[in-house]
């Protein structure tokens, strides 16, 4: 086991490196060197190794014998796998959360949707989108389930950044609004059906960018 202080440092390092991987600052296939990050964060190798283990558990890095740790690559099949897993787990969480969703929580979720619609870049859109999903799912009161969903969201965000790092199209999220409308009416199964379809759309079809440029991998969804 690592010491409590090392655990805190490892958590900070893993959060920062996860953000760099998700946003593409650390590219797929890039080798991650313990010495480099130990020096950058003023830490020993112990918390850096622990941070790498946490990133590997999230599917963001891979550890290869005699080759060290590298940023994980991904393809369309992985995008679809993540979408399927997220859809199943988020629907489960929503069904448990629905009885505990208050008007205040739903109003906050609506504000997050508006913020997403007003976003002018992928980073602000992803922040707003993540906030929406967390707000409607957190009341399920199932921390392990929420942690798994959070890891899958990180993977989804990584796919999104890979496609939309340089240009962005403004959009209106009608599905978020439909989910909220059904939740306000107490129609959990209707909301769940839209949520499932909403998340599964990730990676299912090519989209076109603002200038008509074909994007063969990731739709803006989820």
């Amino acid at each position: 086991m690592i010491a409590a202080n090392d655990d805190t440092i490892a958590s900070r390092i893993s959060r920062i490196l996860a953000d760099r991987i998700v946003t593409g600052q650390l590219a797929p296939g890039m080798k991650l060197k313990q010495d480099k990050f130990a020096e950058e964060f003023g830490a020993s190798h112990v918390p850096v190794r622990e941070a790498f283990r946490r990133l590997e558990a999230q599917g963001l890095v891979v550890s290869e014998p005699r080759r060290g740790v590298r940023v994980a690559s991904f393809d369309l099949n992985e995008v679809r796998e993540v979408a399927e897993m997220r859809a199943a787990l988020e629907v489960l969480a929503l069904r448990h959360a629905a009885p505990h969703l208050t008007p205040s929580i739903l109003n906050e979720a609506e504000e997050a949707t508006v913020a997403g619609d007003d976003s002018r870049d992928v980073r602000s859109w992803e922040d707003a989108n993540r906030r929406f999903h967390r707000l409607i799912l957190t009341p399920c009161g199932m921390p392990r389930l929420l942690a798994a969903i959070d890891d899958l969201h990180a993977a989804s965000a990584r796919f999104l950044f890979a496609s939309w790092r340089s240009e962005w199209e403004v959009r209106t999220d009608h599905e978020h609004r439909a989910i909220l409308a059904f939740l306000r009416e107490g129609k959990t199964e209707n909301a769940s059906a839209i949520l499932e379809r909403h998340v599964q759309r990730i990676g299912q079809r090519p989209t076109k960018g603002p200038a008509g440029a074909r994007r063969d991998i990731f739709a803006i969804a989820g």
Side-chain angles (χ1 to χ4, degrees), residues 17 20 27 45-46 48 62 94 104 131 148 159-160 185 188 211:
L17 295 185
R20 292 178 187 177
H45 284 196
V46 174
V48 175
V62 291
L94 184 61
S104 175
R131 190 162 67 251
F159 307 148
L160 186 72
E185 295 172 7
T188 303

Side-chain angles (χ1 to χ4, degrees), residues 71-205:
V71 177
S73 300
F74 57 86
D75 58 24
L76 185 54
N77 287 332
E78 184 178 349
V79 179
R80 289 170 174 160
E81 179 185 14
V82 168
E84 290 287 338
M85 291 175 67
R86 268 193 57 196
L89 296 184
E90 291 196 29
V91 166
L92 174 63
L94 184 61
R95 285 174 175 150
H96 285 273
H100 310 290
L101 290 171
T102 64
S104 175
I105 292 173
L106 295 176
N107 288 342
E108 286 186 65
E110 186 169 358
E111 290 171 6
T113 296
V114 172
D117 292 348
D118 291 341
S119 295
R120 293 298 180 268
D121 56 63
V122 62
R123 184 64 182 255
S124 57
W125 183 86
E126 167 56 22
D127 287 344
N129 180 64
R130 184 84 66 96
R131 190 162 67 251
F132 171 87
H133 286 263
R134 280 177 173 161
L135 281 165
I136 65 170
L137 301 180
T138 297
C140 75
M142 304 169 76
R144 290 184 181 179
L145 176 60
L146 292 171
I149 291 171
D150 220 33
D151 285 348
L152 292 168
H153 263 280
S156 293
R158 188 180 179 209
F159 307 148
L160 186 72
F161 273 92
S163 287
W164 297 93
R165 196 177 305 151
S166 60
E167 54 187 43
W168 183 248
E169 64 179 24
V170 177
R171 66 193 297 270
T172 299
D173 202 320
H174 298 292
E175 289 176 332
H176 278 192
R177 286 175 168 79
I179 291 167
L180 289 174
F182 280 126
L183 289 174
R184 291 185 191 280
E185 295 172 7
K187 297 179 179 178
T188 303
E189 288 308 308
N190 298 81
S192 296
I194 295 176
L195 177 63
E196 182 176 21
R197 185 169 67 247
H198 174 64
V199 174
Q200 285 181 335
R201 283 197 304 109
I202 301 170
Q204 287 189 347
R205 66 175 187 270

Side-chain angles (χ1 to χ4, degrees), residues 9 12 37-44:
I9 297 170
R12 183 170 67 90
F37 294 114
E39 181 179 355
E40 177 183 345
F41 294 104
S44 70

